[in-house]
């Protein structure tokens, strides 16, 4: 199926020509017609499968058609469509994708995130725009300050939807929904992971909306592969292992995920000290907006080779040519494991994941493996249980020792037999020599050969 057969507005032609995309991805093929037909959707498809354009293209299409019918939106601070994302970094990335489309389709896109200056946000109330991309807390404060009105919103997309509701934004989002006209509202929930509890919540919460489901099974899996290596280390060995990995093994650029912000700082400091030629940046939620922006921009633009980050970079972030991910510590939840690893192996490319597995990780490994089994569309390998590994190693060692003992015993027996036979042969030899002196020497030769 080609993009043309999706019958999008002709204004997209320039965008497709510029991007060079040959055909829509599977999630785009299935989602775009539903959204064009004003359906509300829950879309679950693997990391890197192209969900951003799966909602961006039909959104622009619908708004463009509305604009042609009813004229441009003239209401200030009143978007027609809103996309929520859990982090500033992701909101900014979506904004850049949407800007690349709006450049051709000519609609107005605005970004509203936590780090924006008040002056910048203020101007929202005085400007007209069609699409707002935002983080939830900023939307909440802007509504409160009467800079933003959601009464005319017709399309509401929640990217990384499960994460938005889990991150403590649930009440904020529910409050936003109360401001919207439910009858005319199109909803879109997009994610790579749909925990059962969240699925039930969606069904119960939006009982009046018919939510169409787009989800893929294993048979639809693209030929993307993520190779996984598990390195068994004790916590105090991790820095040394990471250093060795970067010096000797690492090919291309990658992200080192840590579980805590201070751990990210420590690893970053260690690498800067020990590998002064390595271009490494750090990214976590305690850094100020400018430092966060600078770190990610430097990594995205390939000035930096390595990014040490917390889970702030785990979801949605799309970085060209990323070759590997190191889990310095396994994440606290299996879902984050899927998202972290999903930073590589995107859009049909391959990637490598290295897990530094400590002896206390057994429980987490079991949970991750269960999640991977349930997550039919993510091509991740199972992590062997470190504890079981150890037991298996001990058993193998015991078996090897047993084998060696047996071998030693067999050799000893053979030696004993050989010595006994030597003695016999010697005796026999003496006899034979004595008899050879009397007859032919063949018997002595044969005996010698047998020995
Ligand atoms: N039709 C297409 N053909 C080729 N590449 C595409 C196509 N659509 C999107 N891409 C590229 O695929 C990459 C991944 O897309 P995107 O970030 O939307 O994935 P995602 O499904 O949102 O992943 P995640 O779950 O990690 O957020 C991007 O670099 C994007 O430019
Ligand atoms: Mg995404």
């Amino acid at each position: 199926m080609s993009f043309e057969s999706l019958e999008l507005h002709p204004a997209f032609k320039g965008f497709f020509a510029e991007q060079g995309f040959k055909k829509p991805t599977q999630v785009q093929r299935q989602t775009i017609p539903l959204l064009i037909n004003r359906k509300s959707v829950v879309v679950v498809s693997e990391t890197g499968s192209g969900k951003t354009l799966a909602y961006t293209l039909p959104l622009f299409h619908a708004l463009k058609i509305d604009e042609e019918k009813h004229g441009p939106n003239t209401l200030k601070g009143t978007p027609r469509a809103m996309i929520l994302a859990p982090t500033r970094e992701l909101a900014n990335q979506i904004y850049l994708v949407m800007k690349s489309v709006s450049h051709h389709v000519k609609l107005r896109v605005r970004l509203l995130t936590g780090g924006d200056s008040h002056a910048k946000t203020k101007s929202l109330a005085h400007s007209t725009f069609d699409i707002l991309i935002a983080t939830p807390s900023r939307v909440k404060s802007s509504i409160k300050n009467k800079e933003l009105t959601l009464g005319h919103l017709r399309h509401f997309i929640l990217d990384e939807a499960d994460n938005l509701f889990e991150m403590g934004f649930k009440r904020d989002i529910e409050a936003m929904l109360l401001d919207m006209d439910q009858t005319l509202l199109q909803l879109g929930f997009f994610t790579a992971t749909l925990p059962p509890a969240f699925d039930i919540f969606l069904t119960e919460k939006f009982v009046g909306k018919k939510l169409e489901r787009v989800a893929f099974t294993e048979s639809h899996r693209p030929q993307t592969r993520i190779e996984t290596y598990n390195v068994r280390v004790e916590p105090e060995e991790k820095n040394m292992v990471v250093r060795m990995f970067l010096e000797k093994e690492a090919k291309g650029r990658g992200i080192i995920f840590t579980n805590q912000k201070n751990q990210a700082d420590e690893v970053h400091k260690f690498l800067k000290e020990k590998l002064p030629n390595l271009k490494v940046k750090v990214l976590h939620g305690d850094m100020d907006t400018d430092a966060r922006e600078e770190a990610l921009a430097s990594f995205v633009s390939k000035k930096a080779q390595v990014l040490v980050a917390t889970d702030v970079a785990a979801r949605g972030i799309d970085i060209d040519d990323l070759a590997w991910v190191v889990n310095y510590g396994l994440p606290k939840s299996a879902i984050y494991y899927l998202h972290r690893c999903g930073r590589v192996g995107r859009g049909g490319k391959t990637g490598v994941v290295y897990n530094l597995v400590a002896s206390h990780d057994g429980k987490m490994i079991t949970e991750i493996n269960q999640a991977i089994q349930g997550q039919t569309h993510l091509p991740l390998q199972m992590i062997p249980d470190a504890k079981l590994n150890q037991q298996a190693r001990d058993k193998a060692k015991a078996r090897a020792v047993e084998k060696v003992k047996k071998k030693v015993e067999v050799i000893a027996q053979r030696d004993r037999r050989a010595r006994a036979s030597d003695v016999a042969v010697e005796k026999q030899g003496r006899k034979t020599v004595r008899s050879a002196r009397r007859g032919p020497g063949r018997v002595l030769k044969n005996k010698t050969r047998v020995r």
Side-chain angles (χ1 to χ4, degrees):
M1 185 195 256
S2 62
F3 277 111
E4 287 76 47
S5 57
L6 290 170
E7 294 180 3
L8 289 161
H9 193 281
F12 284 102
K13 265 198 186 124
F15 169 74
F16 293 130
E18 189 178 88
Q19 295 293 318
F21 294 151
K22 290 190 178 63
K23 54 185 175 61
T25 64
Q26 186 162 34
V27 67
Q28 292 161 3
R29 284 201 294 276
Q30 298 211 7
T31 310
I32 292 171
L34 289 173
L35 288 178
I36 284 181
N37 286 317
R38 310 265 162 159
K39 305 270 190 234
S40 288
V41 294
V42 178
V43 178
V44 189
S45 93
E46 73 165 349
T47 51
S49 57
K51 292 187 286 295
T52 318
L53 283 181
Y55 59 75
T56 297
L57 299 178
L59 215 59
F60 272 82
H61 170 91
L63 291 171
K64 197 69 195 165
I65 292 200
D66 277 359
E67 190 186 68
E68 283 171 356
K69 271 192 198 154
H70 309 292
N73 177 22
T74 52
L75 297 169
K76 293 195 167 81
T78 308
R80 309 300 302 275
M82 180 164 78
I83 292 102
L84 277 194
T87 61
R88 288 169 219 177
E89 283 75 14
L90 183 54
N92 189 49
Q93 181 183 290
I94 297 167
Y95 173 70
L96 294 177
V97 171
M98 292 214 154
K99 282 297 273 184
S100 68
V101 180
S102 71
H103 176 68
H104 297 278
V105 183
K106 309 285 180 230
L107 288 168
R108 294 152 298 176
V109 185
R110 288 292 304 260
L111 177 67
L112 180 69
T113 63
D116 292 345
S117 70
H118 186 64
K120 221 166 146 191
T121 321
K122 257 278 186 232
S123 69
L124 264 190
H126 300 109
S127 57
T128 48
F129 51 95
D130 302 292
I131 303 172
L132 181 69
I133 299 129
T135 49
S137 40
R138 207 68 174 111
V139 172
K140 187 186 169 190
S141 62
S142 297
I143 292 174
K144 198 167 155 227
N145 298 335
K146 307 224 178 311
E147 290 151 359
L148 180 67
T149 312
L150 300 180
H152 287 78
L153 206 72
R154 295 291 172 265
H155 313 269
F156 185 26
I157 304 289
L158 297 97
D159 201 343
E160 305 293 344
D162 55 326
N163 191 227
L164 280 169
F165 282 90
E166 141 215 303
M167 274 180 79
F169 298 133
K170 193 169 167 208
R171 284 174 68 184
D172 296 347
I173 296 171
E174 285 180 332
M176 287 174 213
L177 282 162
L178 291 177
D179 283 350
M180 301 173 200
D181 184 341
Q182 293 295 320
T183 48
L184 298 171
L185 189 67
Q186 177 181 50
L187 287 164
F189 300 92
F190 286 77
T191 181
T193 48
L194 187 71
F198 180 60
D199 199 3
I200 293 167
F201 164 77
L202 285 182
T203 313
E204 286 173 0
K205 175 82 194 158
F206 300 100
V207 71
K209 280 249 173 263
K210 195 175 174 314
L211 294 176
E212 303 273 345
R213 310 257 158 175
V214 176
F216 300 106
T217 58
E218 196 158 6
S219 59
H220 296 100
R221 195 189 266 183
Q223 287 311 304
T224 307
R225 283 296 158 262
I226 301 175
E227 250 179 279
T228 310
Y229 293 96
N230 305 302
V231 187
R232 176 77 155 76
V233 289
E234 291 311 320
E236 63 278 7
E237 297 168 333
K238 286 186 177 181
N239 278 358
M240 190 260 297
V241 169
V242 168
R243 179 185 170 176
M244 268 172 51
F245 163 72
L246 291 172
E247 277 179 323
K248 298 197 164 56
E249 169 85 19
K251 289 184 187 70
R253 301 174 335 114
I255 304 182
I256 300 171
F257 280 108
T258 64
N259 288 336
Q260 291 100 22
K261 297 164 192 167
N262 62 342
Q263 197 174 52
D265 280 332
E266 278 164 27
V267 174
H268 177 236
K269 191 167 164 252
F270 172 83
L271 293 177
K272 276 182 81 106
E273 255 171 45
K274 303 291 179 197
L275 302 171
N277 291 330
L278 182 81
K279 296 205 167 40
V280 52
K281 292 279 171 185
V282 64
L283 179 69
H284 60 70
D286 274 356
M287 290 160 55
D288 67 41
T289 315
D290 288 349
R292 270 168 80 157
E293 259 175 36
E294 194 275 320
L296 192 61
S298 152
F299 192 55
V300 169
S301 65
K302 303 184 186 177
K303 282 189 202 125
Q305 286 159 266
V306 176
L307 183 71
V308 183
T310 57
D311 282 328
V312 76
R315 280 188 178 246
I317 298 299
D318 183 59
I319 294 170
D320 192 24
D321 288 347
L322 208 65
W324 50 264
V325 157
V326 168
N327 284 310
Y328 186 88
L330 286 180
K332 293 276 177 284
S333 101
I335 281 184
Y336 267 95
Y337 182 78
L338 303 176
H339 286 278
R340 282 183 183 184
C341 299
R343 294 318 94 210
V344 292
R346 299 171 73 74
K349 292 180 191 147
T350 56
V352 192
V353 171
Y354 300 88
N355 298 311
L356 304 192
V357 182
S359 49
H360 56 73
D361 281 329
K363 194 165 162 265
M364 194 64 235
I365 286 169
T366 310
E367 279 179 32
I368 289 172
N369 284 339
Q370 277 165 2
I372 292 171
Q373 273 174 334
Q375 191 72 27
T376 50
H377 37 263
L378 256 177
L380 280 166
Q381 292 162 14
M382 309 282 268
I383 307 179
D385 187 322
K387 250 197 230 150
L388 286 180
N389 257 1
Q390 191 54 48
Q391 280 171 6
R393 269 206 295 271
D394 289 345
K395 269 189 193 164
K397 207 167 145 189
R399 271 202 305 272
V401 168
E402 222 25 64
K403 234 176 170 175
V404 169
K405 271 188 190 165
K406 269 189 191 153
K407 216 169 184 174
V408 168
E409 184 50 35
V410 168
I411 291 168
Q413 275 178 6
R414 209 165 59 197
D415 272 4
R416 277 198 297 275
R417 272 204 305 273
R419 268 199 304 277
S421 143
D422 267 355
V423 172
V425 168
E426 214 173 292
K427 277 182 188 167
Q428 178 69 35
R430 277 200 296 270
K431 262 193 215 166
T432 318
V433 169
R434 271 200 302 273
S435 61
R437 277 189 202 123
R438 280 178 248 132
R442 197 161 49 90
V443 179
L444 179 67
K445 261 193 198 160
N446 281 349
K447 281 266 178 196
T448 313
R449 222 181 275 144
V450 169
R451 268 186 65 205

